[in-house]
């Protein structure tokens, strides 16, 4: 479904909306990330838990599947980027993929949490194949969420605001997924490890995600499509040449998702075994909705600190909160306070990456004359999420396996220590490392007004010709 699929001209665009996005479109734009996180956050937070406690794989097998599948899966990000860069349809360039991928994405995620009557090698192969297919479908749906942003408006502030709406929507999806999936599984299946409960619960979430994606598609409109004509693969790659702000964001974003996934994937183990309360899994996941406060504050923070400075602040708060979790695990009040701080920090950092990646599309066009929004944003968003998530899930599984973790059994002291390290200290270390590339990014951010001014001047000269 690339350029050859639909060569009809794009729908006419209201020139008045090129700078100012209507409020309702910002809201429905947020539905894209809401639906994506409604399902993807179940994978990120519970895939390791589901594979070991429900599906019946060993920790080593589950961790290996998550790593290998994510590495393979991450390679499809640039492919999706090339596809989007070559897409031409009556609906625009990125927008039609919300329509085309809504059903495959919802279906494969449901299939991932549906246990077939298999044993041995066949069971492992099924888990790996469906996990990869769900990931590929997610990339096909999520890559346009970021690649469409520079084509929704040319106004940097409007992009930041629209991206904040998107991130709030994504966090609502995350909240609904991680807070209610286990209670819904228990309600429908009788226990949090019920195979039937998981299939039914994820099926309900998948249907809601499908509807939200279709609504987002129906209300969205793209601008600047005339500046994103089909380009060869080699030209797309050229857009990354010398695009150092993009490189720095890719590194920082991978680091962020390593830390976040290490935290989310080990949360169920920490509260089930270290704290002895599965009820706190839903409670602490639910409290993570405070990330919305960090995301909503982004436009105000950016005005004072800039995007890079706000991201650095987010990383620092997230790392500090994780240290508090490690130090105050025995004090419920301080543990919750530390968790809130960590969530505020991660929410702030996460919200800014996607807006900054959209800005690097402008930098690539300014420096190399190529506007490869699909390729650059695919690597800067979907690739980073998947590569970071794969590493972030594999590292805890490796640590816990080496410490002697055994599913659904009383854990040894070494296994409990490994779980706490993976949940608290490992993310703290990783988040702290994420500050380094953002420090280097600051000088490129200061040059953004010059980049936009020169691009506008070039566009004016082309119109005169």
């Amino acid at each position: 479904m690339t350029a050859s699929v639909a060569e009809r001209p794009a729908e006419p665009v209201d020139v008045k909306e090129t700078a100012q996005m209507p409020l309702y479109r910002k809201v429905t734009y947020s539905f894209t990330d809401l639906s994506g996180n409604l399902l993807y956050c179940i994978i990120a937070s519970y895939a390791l838990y589901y594979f070991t406690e429900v599906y019946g794989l060993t920790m080593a097998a589950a961790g290996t599947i998550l790593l290998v599948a994510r590495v393979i899966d991450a390679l499809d990000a640039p492919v999706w980027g090339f596809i989007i860069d070559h897409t031409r349809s009556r609906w625009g360039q990125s927008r039609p993929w919300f329509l085309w991928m809504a059903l495959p994405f919802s279906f494969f995620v449901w299939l991932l949490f549906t246990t077939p009557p298999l044993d041995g090698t066949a069971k492992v192969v099924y888990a790996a194949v469906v996990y990869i297919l769900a990931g590929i479908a997610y990339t096909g749906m999520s890559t346009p969420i970021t690649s469409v942003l520079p084509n929704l408006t040319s106004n940097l502030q409007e992009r930041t605001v629209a991206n904040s709406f998107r991130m709030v929507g994504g966090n609502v999806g995350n909240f609904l997924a991680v807070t209610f999936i286990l209670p819904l599984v228990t309600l429908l299946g009788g226990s949090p490890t019920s195979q039937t409960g998981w299939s039914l619960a994820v099926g309900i979430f998948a249907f809601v995600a499908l509807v939200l994606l279709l609504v987002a598609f129906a209300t969205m409109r793209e601008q600047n499509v005339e500046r994103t004509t089909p380009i060869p693969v080699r030209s797309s790659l050229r857009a990354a040449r010398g695009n150092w702000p993009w490189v720095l964001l890719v590194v920082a974003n991978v680091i962020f998702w390593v830390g976040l996934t290490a935290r989310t994937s080990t949360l169920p183990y920490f509260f089930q075994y270290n704290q002895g309360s599965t009820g706190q899994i839903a409670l602490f996941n639910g409290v993570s909705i405070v990330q919305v406060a960090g995301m909503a504050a982004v436009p105000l923070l950016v005005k004072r600190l800039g995007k890079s400075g706000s991201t650095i602040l987010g990383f620092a708060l997230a790392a500090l909160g994780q240290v508090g979790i490690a130090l105050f695990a025995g004090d419920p009040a301080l543990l919750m306070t530390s968790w809130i701080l960590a969530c505020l920090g991660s929410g702030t950092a996460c919200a800014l990456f996607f807006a900054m990646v959209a800005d690097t599309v402008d930098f690539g066009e300014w420096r190399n004359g190529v506007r490869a929004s699909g390729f650059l944003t695919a690597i800067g968003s979907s690739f980073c999420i998947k590569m970071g998530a794969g590493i972030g899930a594999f590292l805890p599984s490796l640590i816990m396996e080496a410490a002697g973790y055994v599913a659904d059994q009383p854990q040894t002291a070494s296994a409990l220590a490994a779980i706490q390290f993976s949940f608290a200290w490992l993310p703290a270390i990783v988040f702290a490392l994420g500050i380094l590339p953002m420090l280097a990014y600051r000088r490129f951010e200061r040059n953004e007004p010059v980049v936009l001014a020169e691009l506008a001047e070039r566009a004016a000269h082309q119109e005169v010709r």
Side-chain angles (χ1 to χ4, degrees):
M1 286 182 283
T2 58
S4 60
V5 173
E7 293 284 346
R8 286 172 290 181
E11 295 174 347
V13 168
D14 187 347
V15 177
K16 295 180 180 178
E17 295 181 356
T18 57
Q20 188 78 26
M21 285 181 64
L23 176 61
Y24 78 92
R25 284 189 184 158
K26 293 173 185 174
V27 173
T28 55
Y29 175 55
S30 75
F31 288 177
T32 59
D33 220 24
L34 194 162
S35 59
N37 280 1
L38 196 63
L39 297 184
Y40 183 77
C41 287
I42 297 176
I43 298 177
S45 299
Y46 290 105
L48 185 62
Y49 180 82
Y50 173 82
F51 281 156
T52 59
E53 309 296 317
V54 181
Y55 191 70
L57 298 181
T58 65
M59 179 64 73
T64 301
I65 288 175
L66 264 60
L67 176 64
V68 174
R70 281 301 185 206
V71 170
I72 294 173
D73 187 25
L75 299 178
D76 71 356
V79 175
W80 278 110
F82 293 138
I83 291 173
I84 290 171
D85 280 338
H86 287 76
T87 298
R88 288 297 175 274
S89 78
R90 61 181 298 182
W91 303 301
Q93 182 181 47
S94 298
R95 176 191 171 200
W97 290 99
F98 300 122
L99 172 67
W100 294 334
M101 295 307 300
L103 182 59
F105 171 56
S106 303
F107 175 71
F108 284 123
V109 174
W110 169 76
L111 207 60
L112 177 62
F113 290 94
T114 299
T115 305
L118 300 173
D119 294 304
T121 302
K123 193 170 188 177
V124 176
V125 171
Y126 173 88
V129 170
V130 177
Y131 189 78
I132 291 173
L133 290 175
I136 291 173
Y138 172 71
T139 310
M141 185 283 300
S142 65
T143 299
I145 299 177
T146 305
S147 66
V148 78
L149 183 57
N151 290 341
L152 292 180
T153 174
S154 299
N155 186 293
L156 287 179
Q157 182 62 23
E158 280 291 287
R159 285 182 189 174
T160 300
V161 173
N163 187 68
S164 295
F165 271 80
R166 170 224 174 147
M167 297 309 301
V168 170
N171 200 66
V172 171
N174 171 72
F175 167 74
L176 295 174
V178 301
T179 304
F180 296 110
I181 191 64
L182 272 186
L184 187 58
V185 168
T186 303
L187 176 66
L188 297 175
S191 78
T193 57
S194 166
Q195 294 178 350
T196 300
W198 274 96
S199 181
L200 292 174
V202 174
I204 293 172
F205 276 62
F207 177 76
V208 173
L210 173 65
V211 172
L212 289 171
L213 282 172
L214 294 179
V215 171
F217 161 78
T219 58
M220 189 175 294
R221 296 295 182 272
E222 288 190 70
Q223 326 294 336
N224 300 330
V225 179
E226 71 281 355
R227 284 163 54 187
T228 52
T229 55
I231 54 178
V233 172
R234 182 177 297 179
S235 295
S236 293
L237 294 173
R238 195 171 77 242
R241 187 180 64 192
N243 197 335
W244 291 111
W246 175 77
V247 172
L248 291 168
L249 287 180
V250 168
V251 172
N253 208 8
V254 168
I255 290 173
F256 172 80
W257 285 99
V258 170
L260 187 69
T261 305
R263 183 177 80 187
T264 57
S265 65
T266 55
L267 184 148
Y269 298 97
F270 177 77
F271 286 106
Q272 178 171 335
Y273 296 108
N274 293 62
Q275 302 297 95
S277 174
T278 56
Q280 291 189 70
I281 298 174
L283 172 63
F284 273 74
N285 272 327
V287 171
S288 67
I289 191 65
V290 300
Q291 292 181 125
V292 170
M295 295 173 178
V298 163
L300 296 176
L301 289 174
V302 168
K303 287 182 179 180
R304 284 183 167 272
L305 304 175
K307 294 172 188 172
S308 57
S310 300
T311 307
I312 290 170
L313 175 63
F315 269 127
L317 292 177
L320 185 61
Q322 292 297 136
V323 171
I325 291 171
L327 296 179
F328 307 122
D331 187 317
L334 290 177
L335 176 61
M336 178 60 76
T337 301
S338 299
W339 175 248
I340 291 173
L341 182 63
C343 289
L344 285 171
S346 60
T348 301
C350 182
L352 284 154
F353 281 118
F354 302 100
M356 289 187 287
V357 168
D359 295 340
T360 66
V361 173
D362 295 327
F363 187 92
E365 181 183 8
W366 172 74
R367 191 183 192 284
N368 301 305
V370 179
R371 190 173 180 81
S373 58
F375 172 72
L376 293 180
T377 57
I379 299 295
S381 57
S382 297
F383 172 84
C384 295
I385 293 171
K386 292 187 172 185
M387 183 61 71
I391 297 172
F394 176 71
L395 288 178
S397 71
L398 193 68
I399 295 169
M400 291 163 62
E401 178 75 14
Y405 169 85
V406 180
D408 202 24
Q409 297 292 327
Q411 304 300 325
T412 64
S414 61
L416 292 174
I419 292 172
Q420 182 170 13
F421 175 83
S422 299
F423 177 62
W425 286 111
L426 179 59
I429 295 169
V430 174
F431 286 143
L433 290 174
I435 294 175
L436 299 178
M438 295 314 304
L439 290 172
Y441 180 86
R442 295 176 69 88
R443 74 183 186 92
F444 295 102
E445 183 180 6
R446 289 193 289 267
N447 197 47
E448 284 176 0
V450 175
V451 170
L452 288 175
E454 292 193 14
L455 287 178
E457 185 177 349
R458 293 178 194 175
H461 283 312
Q462 291 177 354
E463 290 179 1
V464 170
R465 293 179 183 177

